[in-house]
Amino acid sequence: MIKRLLKRLSTTSKTPKQGMATKKAPKRIDPTVIQQDSHGICESDISQSALKVMNRLNQGGFEGYLVGGGVRDLLLNASPKDFDVATDATPEQVKQLFRNSRIIGRRFRIVHVRFGREIIEVTTFRGQNSDSNQQIESDTGQLLRDNVYGDLESDALRRDFTANALYYSAKDQCIYDYTNGIEDLNNRQLTMIGDPVTRYKEDPVRLLRAIRFSAKLGFNIEANTQAPIHEQAHLLSHVPPARLFEEILKLFLSGYATATYELLRQYGLLDELFPESARVLDNHFSYAPLIDEMITNTDKRIRTNKRVTPAFVYAALMWPAMHDEFLKLRESGVSEVDAFGQASQRAISLQLQRIMIPKRFLVPMRQIWELQWRLPKRQGKRAQRLLDHPKFRAGYDFLLMREAAGEQLDELGSWWNQYQFADEEAREKMVNELAPMPNKKRRRRKPKNKANAQNHHE
């Protein structure tokens, strides 16, 4: 047994045979260092909370850099939506430094440091590919877990786009660039770091991020980064529906929905996100103006600081699928009420297979749809009851959007606009001037089978 052990040790200690591959240490990259007088970012431009996080990390013996969209937007003279920090400290070490923090995530473990309503997201430097059980891939190459840590250089190479891989140090106020991100920023170009196909497979959400950043920043997508998008669109079906819900909000509620939607259609990504609606849009062009109205209206409201509910956005995006099915059911003789119920249920069930929609948005979305066939029925006391409906305003706005898109609804929107602001006497007159509701024959109840009734009684 001792001889076998010694033999095994001697075998493992031998030098590799000629021609056998050997692992070489990766070649180090020297970053481009941009001084403060060249990049122009001042500490006053940065969130005080983010500065506190970086300074405390430095005082604790760790590195701390501002990274991602915060640096990118500051260089573009825009106001960052949030500030993220990257460090060589592990999540546990970060949590020890900040009592006001918590570790979240399983796929990527990160730390949220809270300062009142502001949250600073702190991530540990990512490492390169590893055989560690902390990095798990699916059969398609998607990273299911990736908690392999590294250094500043490896972290830069693991970022998605070069424009997002710029690091600002509060210690010397310099920017560190490992991927020529400054050059792409100046050229207003979005470039994937590494092989685009591999990177899209690692995380298919990068397909949506490419579209979102291109629309938001007005950047061109670099040729190699752009080429695989359409072909790899199917990868989105592997993304958890809950995660896609958050991405949809970023795509359509950031004030750039118009440009975003055009790019989603151009690269075939809408077919993966809203397959039923995309199918109807391809065959019935009459629905396209409705979507155009929705995204235009959404952008206007966001830019004027008006509230936009995701329920309204989803109601419009899923309307083609629901309404097309509704019309088919009506043509087959199904009653209006039953057709709406079946069509809406089918549209929702199919959509939830792709994107998770929380109940707090799903219920009002369905109410907006329901009001579309209730609003024309204004006779008697129905008009007042509809006006008191909690989702009347959203349903009315959706109605106006349909009219603006070219639907002929007999000036229904104008009638409701006048009714809202009329006094009680005028409202009563408006309702009386409407054509009476058609008389519906009451359905006679079928008599119960006497034998069955007797058996039931017994």
Side-chain angles (χ1 to χ4, degrees):
M1 192 166 96
I2 294 174
K3 286 181 180 179
R4 286 200 299 270
L5 179 60
L6 291 171
K7 186 177 180 180
R8 185 179 298 176
L9 289 171
S10 63
T11 302
T12 56
S13 62
K14 289 180 181 178
T15 55
K17 295 179 181 178
Q18 189 174 1
M20 185 180 292
T22 59
K23 290 185 179 180
K24 294 182 179 180
K27 187 177 179 180
R28 304 297 297 179
I29 300 173
D30 293 326
T32 300
V33 182
I34 300 99
Q35 304 294 328
Q36 198 277 334
D37 56 354
S38 296
H39 62 68
I41 296 177
C42 301
E43 284 198 350
S44 58
D45 301 326
I46 302 171
S47 159
Q48 291 301 305
S49 300
L51 289 172
K52 286 178 183 178
V53 170
M54 287 188 285
N55 290 330
R56 191 175 299 179
L57 285 168
N58 293 155
Q59 292 167 7
F62 301 105
E63 297 179 63
Y65 298 87
L66 196 67
V67 67
V71 180
R72 179 199 67 217
D73 291 347
L74 286 173
L75 290 170
L76 293 172
N77 295 318
S79 299
K81 184 179 178 182
D82 46 39
F83 292 89
D84 298 335
V85 172
T87 179
D88 58 343
T90 64
E92 291 76 15
Q93 290 170 329
V94 174
K95 195 171 187 313
Q96 287 179 354
L97 287 174
F98 300 93
R99 289 183 298 175
N100 52 328
S101 67
R102 67 188 184 104
I103 299 174
I104 66 168
R106 180 181 177 187
R107 180 170 167 268
F108 299 112
R109 297 177 72 236
I110 59 180
V111 182
H112 278 177
V113 184
R114 182 180 290 276
F115 296 87
R117 292 186 176 182
E118 185 178 13
I119 293 177
I120 305 299
E121 189 171 283
V122 183
T123 59
T124 304
F125 294 150
R126 302 294 172 194
Q128 293 297 322
N129 292 342
S130 168
D131 295 329
S132 166
N133 60 7
Q134 294 301 314
Q135 189 174 70
I136 301 174
E137 290 185 2
S138 69
D139 295 336
T140 61
Q142 183 178 352
L143 288 176
L144 303 178
R145 181 180 295 181
D146 184 21
N147 289 305
V148 179
Y149 303 136
D151 56 16
L152 181 59
E153 179 189 336
S154 65
D155 189 73
L157 298 178
R158 288 294 309 279
R159 298 271 161 182
D160 48 12
F161 304 104
T162 60
N164 293 338
L166 299 168
Y167 296 76
Y168 172 88
S169 171
K171 197 185 297 184
D172 56 15
Q173 297 185 336
C174 291
I175 288 178
Y176 294 82
D177 180 7
Y178 285 88
T179 61
N180 294 323
I182 289 290
E183 183 179 346
D184 282 329
L185 212 60
N186 292 333
N187 293 331
R188 304 190 69 79
Q189 178 173 268
L190 203 63
T191 304
M192 181 69 75
I193 300 170
D195 174 57
V197 174
T198 302
R199 304 309 305 280
Y200 289 138
K201 286 182 177 179
E202 285 179 352
D203 185 3
V205 167
R206 287 175 180 146
L207 294 162
L208 301 180
R209 286 169 64 83
I211 299 303
R212 178 158 60 91
F213 291 138
S214 177
K216 175 184 176 181
L217 304 172
F219 280 21
N220 295 317
I221 303 177
E222 183 266 336
N224 291 329
T225 304
Q226 176 191 131
I229 293 179
H230 198 286
E231 183 182 341
Q232 301 300 323
H234 68 279
L235 294 172
L236 289 173
S237 63
H238 301 296
V239 179
R243 190 175 178 211
L244 280 181
F245 170 75
E246 297 297 334
E247 292 301 321
I248 293 299
L249 297 187
K250 294 175 184 176
L251 288 169
F252 287 98
L253 299 180
S254 298
Y256 307 93
T258 303
T260 298
Y261 180 76
E262 290 175 0
L263 290 172
L264 289 174
R265 291 287 282 167
Q266 178 183 337
Y267 290 106
L269 299 182
L270 193 76
D271 300 51
E272 297 296 329
L273 298 172
F274 297 90
E276 291 300 308
S277 285
R279 176 185 57 79
V280 174
L281 286 165
D282 289 338
N283 296 303
H284 302 281
F285 301 114
S286 58
Y287 287 104
L290 175 72
I291 307 294
D292 294 338
E293 279 295 321
M294 182 276 291
I295 57 180
T296 301
N297 182 59
T298 299
D299 283 345
K300 286 180 180 177
R301 291 183 67 87
I302 289 173
R303 289 171 186 172
T304 54
N305 295 318
K306 292 182 179 179
R307 182 175 173 270
V308 178
T309 171
F312 194 88
V313 174
Y314 275 98
L317 290 171
M318 294 170 59
W319 175 261
M322 191 282 293
H323 195 249
D324 184 62
E325 181 66 16
F326 171 79
L327 294 178
K328 288 178 181 177
L329 290 169
R330 290 290 286 141
E331 288 174 4
S332 67
V334 180
S335 69
E336 189 176 53
V337 175
D338 290 342
F340 168 76
Q342 294 176 34
S344 58
Q345 185 58 44
R346 182 179 186 275
I348 290 170
S349 297
L350 291 174
Q351 187 58 53
L352 289 178
Q353 296 175 17
R354 292 299 177 97
I355 301 172
M356 186 275 291
I357 308 175
K359 191 175 181 179
R360 66 183 185 277
F361 300 128
L362 209 54
V363 171
M365 180 191 78
R366 188 183 173 108
Q367 290 175 321
I368 290 171
W369 286 347
E370 184 182 6
L371 282 167
Q372 300 315 296
W373 61 265
R374 288 185 62 188
L375 286 172
K377 299 165 183 170
R378 300 152 283 169
Q379 291 82 354
K381 296 181 179 180
R382 293 184 179 188
Q384 188 57 48
R385 285 201 296 263
L386 286 170
L387 191 62
D388 295 335
H389 192 286
K391 291 300 173 187
F392 168 80
R393 186 68 202 185
Y396 166 71
D397 287 344
F398 198 88
L399 177 74
L400 294 182
M401 194 172 68
R402 290 172 59 201
E403 286 187 330
E407 281 194 61
Q408 298 302 317
L409 301 174
D410 297 327
E411 298 185 351
L412 186 60
S414 177
W415 189 95
W416 275 108
N417 180 60
Q418 184 180 349
Y419 184 84
Q420 290 178 71
F421 301 104
D423 57 30
E424 187 175 347
E425 183 179 350
R427 287 181 179 180
E428 186 176 352
K429 182 180 178 183
M430 290 177 67
V431 170
N432 291 335
E433 290 174 349
L434 295 171
M437 289 286 290
N439 291 325
K440 292 185 178 180
K441 293 183 180 180
R442 296 186 65 182
R443 295 175 60 183
R444 294 181 61 186
R445 297 179 63 182
K446 292 182 180 180
K448 291 183 179 179
N449 185 296
K450 292 183 178 180
N452 289 342
Q454 185 177 357
N455 293 336
H456 179 74
H457 179 73
E458 292 173 356

